[in-house]
Amino acid sequence: SRVGKILHLKVDWENFGPQKYISGRLMRKGEFMDTKVSFRGYMAWNYDREEQDLDRMSEQGWQLIKGGCFFSIYTRQPGILYRHRIDYNPDVMNDPEEKRRYLELFEEQGWEFVGKTFNGWIYLKKQYIPGTPEEEYEIYTDSESLAELVKRWKKLAYLLSALAISQLGLYVALGINAGYLSPVLIIIYVGMFCWIQWGIHQLKRKLLGDGIN
């Protein structure tokens, strides 16, 4: 699972299980559709890799109808192409009125809402028309908007970092009192904290360049 999808993470059965996809038929609006469910893992700072994978699925005739934290659902619809973008905005998703305005803004620009995670990652897709400038398929086209995306994500990252440190402190205090400390658990807590901090750095560098605070 995505550890809060800071760790934009899905189960990757391609590496850990016997198959990458589960295929079947789904009843939607009174009709059966050929469907495929994918299980795959991504970190938040690799959100663009997930977008590219969704685009490749579209090129293969599998169109996203439900993006989510643990799996994504596709329907078979060849002959049409979509571009996909993933946004992170938990505050908007938790406010019904803000959510309505947010989605209306994107719908006016041709984007379709295709799902969200429990902690605020939002899946959008837009039909691709050959010859259209690639800028038409970007949801953030200026550094200020990108900076806001990073700030929203960093709130979650710092919260999880603080949680990891507090858990480590509590464990050490209890371990000293009990007369036993496990080096393995200490390494795990410290590793988790360092991993989150590294992820923050990676996302900032990818989106905004090394000079952004």
Side-chain angles (χ1 to χ4, degrees):
S1 65
R2 302 179 195 182
V3 182
K5 204 177 177 185
I6 172 171
L7 311 168
H8 197 38
L9 179 64
K10 299 177 185 175
V11 178
D12 190 348
W13 288 109
E14 185 175 27
N15 296 320
F16 297 100
Q19 59 184 11
K20 178 180 176 181
Y21 301 108
I22 297 175
S23 299
R25 294 179 67 81
L26 176 70
M27 172 70 81
R28 192 184 194 196
K29 296 182 179 179
E31 298 181 357
F32 281 105
M33 302 184 298
D34 290 327
T35 62
K36 179 181 289 188
V37 181
S38 72
F39 300 83
R40 194 164 184 174
Y42 304 89
M43 301 305 167
W45 47 91
N46 286 330
Y47 73 96
D48 54 341
R49 176 185 164 194
E50 182 173 11
E51 293 173 346
Q52 293 164 7
D53 286 346
L54 293 174
D55 289 348
R56 278 193 287 270
M57 289 291 289
S58 180
E59 292 170 1
Q60 296 168 14
W62 290 100
Q63 312 306 338
L64 184 70
I65 57 175
K66 176 63 176 174
C69 190
F70 302 103
F71 59 87
S72 296
I73 303 175
Y74 305 85
T75 184
R76 184 66 178 166
Q77 191 179 7
I80 187 171
L81 290 176
Y82 286 96
R83 289 288 185 264
H84 300 80
R85 293 294 177 262
I86 302 171
D87 190 19
Y88 178 67
N89 205 327
D91 293 338
V92 164
M93 288 292 103
N94 291 330
D95 185 312
E97 184 59 25
E98 288 294 323
K99 177 181 178 181
R100 181 187 65 79
R101 287 199 291 262
Y102 173 89
L103 295 179
E104 284 182 353
L105 176 64
F106 281 106
E107 288 171 358
E108 290 171 359
Q109 300 175 37
W111 291 96
E112 179 182 346
F113 173 67
V114 282
K116 68 180 184 67
T117 67
F118 67 92
N119 57 344
W121 289 90
I122 304 158
Y123 289 78
L124 302 161
K125 70 179 182 180
K126 184 176 184 178
Q127 186 173 350
Y128 177 72
I129 301 174
T132 303
E134 285 299 319
E135 291 79 9
E136 292 292 322
Y137 302 101
E138 298 296 335
I139 59 175
Y140 292 113
T141 57
D142 59 89
S143 59
E144 182 178 349
S145 297
L146 290 174
E148 286 301 317
L149 171 63
V150 171
K151 287 179 182 179
R152 290 193 296 268
W153 188 84
K154 283 168 64 178
K155 286 181 180 180
L156 176 60
Y158 288 139
L159 176 62
L160 292 179
S161 296
L163 180 61
I165 291 298
S166 64
Q167 289 293 314
L168 174 60
L170 179 61
Y171 172 73
V172 170
L174 293 176
I176 292 175
N177 185 58
Y180 174 76
L181 289 172
S182 170
V184 174
L185 285 178
I186 292 176
I187 291 173
I188 290 174
Y189 282 123
V190 173
M192 182 180 299
F193 173 79
C194 293
W195 185 40
I196 294 170
Q197 296 306 307
W198 180 80
I200 294 172
H201 172 72
Q202 288 294 102
L203 187 63
K204 286 171 60 177
R205 187 175 67 175
K206 178 176 290 186
L207 291 179
L208 307 172
D210 294 331
I212 297 298
N213 295 319

